[in-house]
């Protein structure tokens, strides 16, 4: 019976993962491996590699990262010291590694992000200027479209409610499309865009591509947001 239950779990999980990875955005993760190598780029230009010892967060925002390097030394880093980092998700979500995340993106336009690391299943975080209410803050955020972000960057909203959440390990599974993201257009600060406001945001987000705005037309679907960003990146001049 245990074997049957296990097989059913694997089949169900595979089906859920297939649905998730049919989308272009990389899923948001909240747990990370303490065994796989983490890669951290610092603001001073140096790099730190090692295993993740601790990741402290408050209200969803990263406050401290502790890495153990090859010599066994523990290095504690604050967000203001970190420019970007690659962390491997832990637990069940590591199955994404075997599904080759990079195959979701037919093209790759982010020269400063290592596509080979992303293809192994890593989550990518970078420092971004974010509008929180009326203030602007520099926050370390997970980028959900690392392969097609030259025009629009979409960051996970750590405060976002979800339409439905099915969780395994550290991964948000199929059906859990976020109701909001932090979206950065060009060099402007990232601001929150909510599902209910997407209709009004379309002409602003894709203002340089009237053909895409026309194509989206009246059939506006929040679930196609990733596809719209992808098309805007590669199909609009």
């Amino acid at each position: 019976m245990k074997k049957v239950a296990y097989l059913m779990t694997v089949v169900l999980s595979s089906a859920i993962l297939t649905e998730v990875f049919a989308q272009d955005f990389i899923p948001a993760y909240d747990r990370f491996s303490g065994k796989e190598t983490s890669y951290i780029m610092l603001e001073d230009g140096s790099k730190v590699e090692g295993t993740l010892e601790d990741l402290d967060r408050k209200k969803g925002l990263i406050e401290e990262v502790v890495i153990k390097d090859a010599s066994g030394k523990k290095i504690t880093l604050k967000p203001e010291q970190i420019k970007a980092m690659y962390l491997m998700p832990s637990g069940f979500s590591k199955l994404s590694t075997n599904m080759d995340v990079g195959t979701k993106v037919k093209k790759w336009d982010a020269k400063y992000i290592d596509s080979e690391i992303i293809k192994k299943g890593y989550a990518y975080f970078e420092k971004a200027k974010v509008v929180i209410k009326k203030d602007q803050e520099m926050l370390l955020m997970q980028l959900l479209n690392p392969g097609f972000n030259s025009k629009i960057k979409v960051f996970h909203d750590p405060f976002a409610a979800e339409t439905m959440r099915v969780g395994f390990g550290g991964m948000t599974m199929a059906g859990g499309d976020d109701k909001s993201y932090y979206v950065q257009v060009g060099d402007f600060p990232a601001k929150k865009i909510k599902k209910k406001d997407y209709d009004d945001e379309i002409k602003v987000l894709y203002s340089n591509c009237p053909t895409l705005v026309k194509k989206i037309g009246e059939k506006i679907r929040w679930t196609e947001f990733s596809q719209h960003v992808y098309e805007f990146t590669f199909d609009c001049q």
Side-chain angles (χ1 to χ4, degrees):
M1 290 297 292
K2 289 183 178 180
K3 185 176 181 180
V4 172
Y6 171 76
L7 289 174
M8 289 180 67
T9 300
V10 171
V11 171
L12 175 61
S13 302
S14 297
I16 293 173
L17 279 170
T18 299
E19 185 175 345
V20 169
F21 280 85
Q23 301 175 15
D24 288 329
F25 287 159
I26 289 177
Y29 299 101
D30 54 19
R31 299 181 199 171
F32 301 92
S33 173
K35 297 180 180 180
E36 303 288 344
T37 302
S38 296
Y39 305 92
I40 301 180
M41 284 63 70
L42 303 182
E43 290 286 2
D44 64 8
S46 62
K47 297 180 180 180
V48 175
E49 292 186 14
T51 53
L52 184 66
E53 284 288 299
D54 194 18
L55 183 70
D56 288 340
R57 277 177 286 203
K58 184 177 181 181
K59 295 183 179 180
L61 299 175
I62 296 173
E63 289 203 320
E64 186 175 270
V65 179
V66 181
I67 294 290
K68 181 187 288 186
D69 66 15
S71 68
K73 178 183 177 182
K74 290 185 180 181
I75 303 170
T76 301
L77 299 167
K78 296 293 185 180
E80 53 266 29
Q81 296 174 274
I82 301 171
K83 183 177 183 180
M85 63 183 181
Y86 301 86
L87 302 180
M88 174 64 81
S90 64
F92 184 88
S93 59
K94 193 176 176 182
L95 282 179
S96 63
T97 302
N98 299 324
M99 300 189 70
D100 195 354
V101 177
T103 60
K104 296 187 295 120
V105 183
K106 297 177 182 178
K107 301 177 183 179
W108 190 273
D109 78 326
K111 296 179 180 179
Y112 68 96
I113 297 177
D114 193 324
S115 63
E116 295 305 313
I117 294 181
I118 297 297
K119 287 179 181 180
K120 291 177 181 178
Y122 278 79
Y124 175 78
F125 293 78
E126 71 176 37
K127 193 78 64 62
K129 184 177 288 186
V130 179
V131 177
I132 304 292
K133 295 182 179 179
K134 294 183 179 181
D135 299 322
Q136 293 185 14
E137 299 183 33
M138 293 297 292
L139 303 176
L140 199 54
M141 309 279 280
Q142 184 186 345
L143 183 65
L144 303 182
N145 62 327
F148 53 106
N149 66 76
S150 60
K151 296 180 181 178
I152 295 177
K153 293 183 178 181
V154 181
F155 297 98
H156 169 57
D157 176 6
F159 315 110
E162 294 174 344
T163 54
M164 184 175 76
R165 186 184 183 95
V166 182
F168 290 89
M171 182 178 181
T172 299
M173 305 302 290
D177 55 302
D178 288 338
K179 287 185 178 181
S180 62
Y181 298 100
Y182 277 96
V183 181
Q184 181 179 12
V185 179
D187 296 324
F188 291 97
K191 69 171 186 176
K192 180 180 286 192
I193 291 184
K194 299 180 180 179
K195 177 180 180 179
K196 64 183 182 67
D197 299 325
Y198 187 49
D199 294 24
D200 299 326
E201 294 286 351
I202 285 175
K203 291 183 180 180
V204 177
L205 288 172
Y206 317 121
S207 60
N208 295 330
C209 190
T211 54
L212 178 59
V213 174
K214 183 178 180 180
K215 179 181 177 181
I216 296 172
E218 300 299 323
K219 297 181 179 180
I220 300 171
R221 296 184 179 89
W222 177 248
T223 53
E224 295 179 356
F225 180 35
S226 60
Q227 183 62 29
H228 297 159
V229 175
Y230 183 88
E231 291 182 18
F232 181 68
T233 302
F234 293 111
D235 299 338
C236 299
Q237 302 300 320

PDB file of all heavy atoms in Angstrom, residues 139-150:
ATOM      1  N   LEU A 139      15.741  46.325  -2.081  1.00  0.00           N
ATOM      2  CA  LEU A 139      15.432  45.023  -1.511  1.00  0.00           C
ATOM      3  C   LEU A 139      16.030  43.898  -2.355  1.00  0.00           C
ATOM      4  O   LEU A 139      16.225  44.045  -3.564  1.00  0.00           O
ATOM      5  CB  LEU A 139      13.916  44.826  -1.424  1.00  0.00           C
ATOM      6  CG  LEU A 139      13.129  45.870  -0.622  1.00  0.00           C
ATOM      7  CD1 LEU A 139      11.637  45.586  -0.718  1.00  0.00           C
ATOM      8  CD2 LEU A 139      13.577  45.896   0.832  1.00  0.00           C
ATOM      9  N   LEU A 140      16.299  42.780  -1.707  1.00  0.00           N
ATOM     10  CA  LEU A 140      16.804  41.593  -2.389  1.00  0.00           C
ATOM     11  C   LEU A 140      15.595  40.743  -2.757  1.00  0.00           C
ATOM     12  O   LEU A 140      14.926  40.185  -1.877  1.00  0.00           O
ATOM     13  CB  LEU A 140      17.751  40.841  -1.458  1.00  0.00           C
ATOM     14  CG  LEU A 140      18.741  39.844  -2.058  1.00  0.00           C
ATOM     15  CD1 LEU A 140      19.588  40.494  -3.148  1.00  0.00           C
ATOM     16  CD2 LEU A 140      19.625  39.272  -0.962  1.00  0.00           C
ATOM     17  N   MET A 141      15.305  40.652  -4.053  1.00  0.00           N
ATOM     18  CA  MET A 141      14.069  40.023  -4.514  1.00  0.00           C
ATOM     19  C   MET A 141      14.348  38.869  -5.481  1.00  0.00           C
ATOM     20  O   MET A 141      15.327  38.906  -6.244  1.00  0.00           O
ATOM     21  CB  MET A 141      13.208  41.063  -5.242  1.00  0.00           C
ATOM     22  CG  MET A 141      12.967  42.351  -4.474  1.00  0.00           C
ATOM     23  SD  MET A 141      11.659  42.204  -3.251  1.00  0.00           S
ATOM     24  CE  MET A 141      10.214  42.378  -4.321  1.00  0.00           C
ATOM     25  N   GLN A 142      13.469  37.864  -5.495  1.00  0.00           N
ATOM     26  CA  GLN A 142      13.620  36.780  -6.460  1.00  0.00           C
ATOM     27  C   GLN A 142      13.066  37.220  -7.808  1.00  0.00           C
ATOM     28  O   GLN A 142      11.914  37.621  -7.926  1.00  0.00           O
ATOM     29  CB  GLN A 142      12.905  35.512  -6.020  1.00  0.00           C
ATOM     30  CG  GLN A 142      13.161  34.350  -7.000  1.00  0.00           C
ATOM     31  CD  GLN A 142      12.374  33.094  -6.698  1.00  0.00           C
ATOM     32  OE1 GLN A 142      11.818  32.937  -5.618  1.00  0.00           O
ATOM     33  NE2 GLN A 142      12.315  32.184  -7.667  1.00  0.00           N
ATOM     34  N   LEU A 143      13.917  37.140  -8.843  1.00  0.00           N
ATOM     35  CA  LEU A 143      13.521  37.491 -10.198  1.00  0.00           C
ATOM     36  C   LEU A 143      12.878  36.269 -10.845  1.00  0.00           C
ATOM     37  O   LEU A 143      13.479  35.193 -10.900  1.00  0.00           O
ATOM     38  CB  LEU A 143      14.745  37.930 -11.005  1.00  0.00           C
ATOM     39  CG  LEU A 143      14.505  38.396 -12.439  1.00  0.00           C
ATOM     40  CD1 LEU A 143      13.677  39.678 -12.456  1.00  0.00           C
ATOM     41  CD2 LEU A 143      15.842  38.628 -13.149  1.00  0.00           C
ATOM     42  N   LEU A 144      11.666  36.419 -11.348  1.00  0.00           N
ATOM     43  CA  LEU A 144      10.923  35.285 -11.886  1.00  0.00           C
ATOM     44  C   LEU A 144      11.079  35.102 -13.395  1.00  0.00           C
ATOM     45  O   LEU A 144      10.682  34.066 -13.935  1.00  0.00           O
ATOM     46  CB  LEU A 144       9.432  35.429 -11.538  1.00  0.00           C
ATOM     47  CG  LEU A 144       9.101  35.565 -10.046  1.00  0.00           C
ATOM     48  CD1 LEU A 144       7.595  35.656  -9.840  1.00  0.00           C
ATOM     49  CD2 LEU A 144       9.684  34.410  -9.244  1.00  0.00           C
ATOM     50  N   ASN A 145      11.649  36.085 -14.070  1.00  0.00           N
ATOM     51  CA  ASN A 145      11.865  35.952 -15.517  1.00  0.00           C
ATOM     52  C   ASN A 145      13.336  36.213 -15.864  1.00  0.00           C
ATOM     53  O   ASN A 145      13.657  37.126 -16.625  1.00  0.00           O
ATOM     54  CB  ASN A 145      10.944  36.895 -16.300  1.00  0.00           C
ATOM     55  CG  ASN A 145      11.193  38.365 -15.992  1.00  0.00           C
ATOM     56  OD1 ASN A 145      11.549  38.745 -14.883  1.00  0.00           O
ATOM     57  ND2 ASN A 145      11.013  39.204 -17.006  1.00  0.00           N
ATOM     58  N   PRO A 146      14.251  35.429 -15.317  1.00  0.00           N
ATOM     59  CA  PRO A 146      15.685  35.685 -15.518  1.00  0.00           C
ATOM     60  C   PRO A 146      16.150  35.596 -16.961  1.00  0.00           C
ATOM     61  O   PRO A 146      17.152  36.214 -17.317  1.00  0.00           O
ATOM     62  CB  PRO A 146      16.362  34.602 -14.657  1.00  0.00           C
ATOM     63  CG  PRO A 146      15.354  33.507 -14.574  1.00  0.00           C
ATOM     64  CD  PRO A 146      14.039  34.210 -14.496  1.00  0.00           C
ATOM     65  N   GLY A 147      15.434  34.878 -17.797  1.00  0.00           N
ATOM     66  CA  GLY A 147      15.876  34.716 -19.179  1.00  0.00           C
ATOM     67  C   GLY A 147      15.349  35.751 -20.147  1.00  0.00           C
ATOM     68  O   GLY A 147      15.820  35.846 -21.281  1.00  0.00           O
ATOM     69  N   PHE A 148      14.374  36.552 -19.710  1.00  0.00           N
ATOM     70  CA  PHE A 148      13.794  37.546 -20.629  1.00  0.00           C
ATOM     71  C   PHE A 148      13.391  38.798 -19.851  1.00  0.00           C
ATOM     72  O   PHE A 148      12.237  39.184 -19.796  1.00  0.00           O
ATOM     73  CB  PHE A 148      12.598  36.963 -21.409  1.00  0.00           C
ATOM     74  CG  PHE A 148      11.519  36.328 -20.563  1.00  0.00           C
ATOM     75  CD1 PHE A 148      10.304  36.959 -20.363  1.00  0.00           C
ATOM     76  CD2 PHE A 148      11.707  35.079 -19.989  1.00  0.00           C
ATOM     77  CE1 PHE A 148       9.300  36.367 -19.593  1.00  0.00           C
ATOM     78  CE2 PHE A 148      10.718  34.474 -19.224  1.00  0.00           C
ATOM     79  CZ  PHE A 148       9.511  35.123 -19.024  1.00  0.00           C
ATOM     80  N   ASN A 149      14.391  39.444 -19.279  1.00  0.00           N
ATOM     81  CA  ASN A 149      14.097  40.589 -18.407  1.00  0.00           C
ATOM     82  C   ASN A 149      14.719  41.896 -18.870  1.00  0.00           C
ATOM     83  O   ASN A 149      14.815  42.829 -18.096  1.00  0.00           O
ATOM     84  CB  ASN A 149      14.571  40.279 -16.984  1.00  0.00           C
ATOM     85  CG  ASN A 149      16.080  40.144 -16.894  1.00  0.00           C
ATOM     86  OD1 ASN A 149      16.821  41.130 -16.908  1.00  0.00           O
ATOM     87  ND2 ASN A 149      16.569  38.916 -16.807  1.00  0.00           N
ATOM     88  N   SER A 150      15.162  41.975 -20.121  1.00  0.00           N
ATOM     89  CA  SER A 150      15.854  43.178 -20.580  1.00  0.00           C
ATOM     90  C   SER A 150      14.954  44.415 -20.626  1.00  0.00           C
ATOM     91  O   SER A 150      15.448  45.542 -20.535  1.00  0.00           O
ATOM     92  CB  SER A 150      16.470  42.934 -21.960  1.00  0.00           C
ATOM     93  OG  SER A 150      15.473  42.594 -22.901  1.00  0.00           O
TER      94      SER A 150
END
